[in-house]
Amino acid sequence: MSPTTFNEAVALTKKFTEKPSNEDLLKLYGLYKQATEGDNESERPGGFDFKAAAKYNAWANLKGKSQEEAKSQYIKLVEELSKTHV
């Protein structure tokens, strides 16, 4: 089942039977946030919260990418991941 819309792709990730790699999870997170909220304007987390910092960076690295382009890339990534995770 290939997702054709952003919402279908988001729903499909909830059906994954196997957890994607941390790298893929960060890509999904960054693309999702860029697609739904646009550029990351929040402050970078400090201290030793490495997970929050990684998520922040995954989103911040997409700065300037349009929300439509982020949605398109999110759909493509979910489509690829669904071949091995659903």
Side-chain angles (χ1 to χ4, degrees):
M1 174 183 146
S2 293
T4 56
T5 68
F6 180 71
N7 288 337
E8 286 177 3
V10 171
L12 186 54
T13 63
K14 293 172 178 31
K15 295 180 182 175
F16 283 2
T17 56
E18 189 178 304
K19 183 178 175 185
S21 69
N22 285 339
E23 182 181 338
D24 287 333
L25 287 172
L26 286 171
K27 286 179 192 174
L28 285 170
Y29 175 82
L31 287 168
Y32 178 85
K33 294 294 275 185
Q34 189 70 18
T36 58
E37 297 183 34
D39 289 343
N40 185 349
E41 302 295 339
S42 63
E43 284 191 33
R44 190 177 195 290
F48 293 98
D49 192 346
F50 300 114
K51 183 177 178 181
K55 290 170 80 173
Y56 174 91
N57 290 337
W59 182 13
N61 288 337
L62 299 173
K63 186 172 186 141
K65 184 179 298 296
S66 75
Q67 288 181 281
E68 288 307 310
E69 180 62 21
K71 285 180 182 180
S72 175
Q73 289 183 359
Y74 184 92
I75 292 167
K76 284 182 187 173
L77 180 56
V78 170
E79 191 173 329
E80 282 299 309
L81 293 174
S82 70
K83 293 174 183 174
T84 54
H85 293 80
V86 173

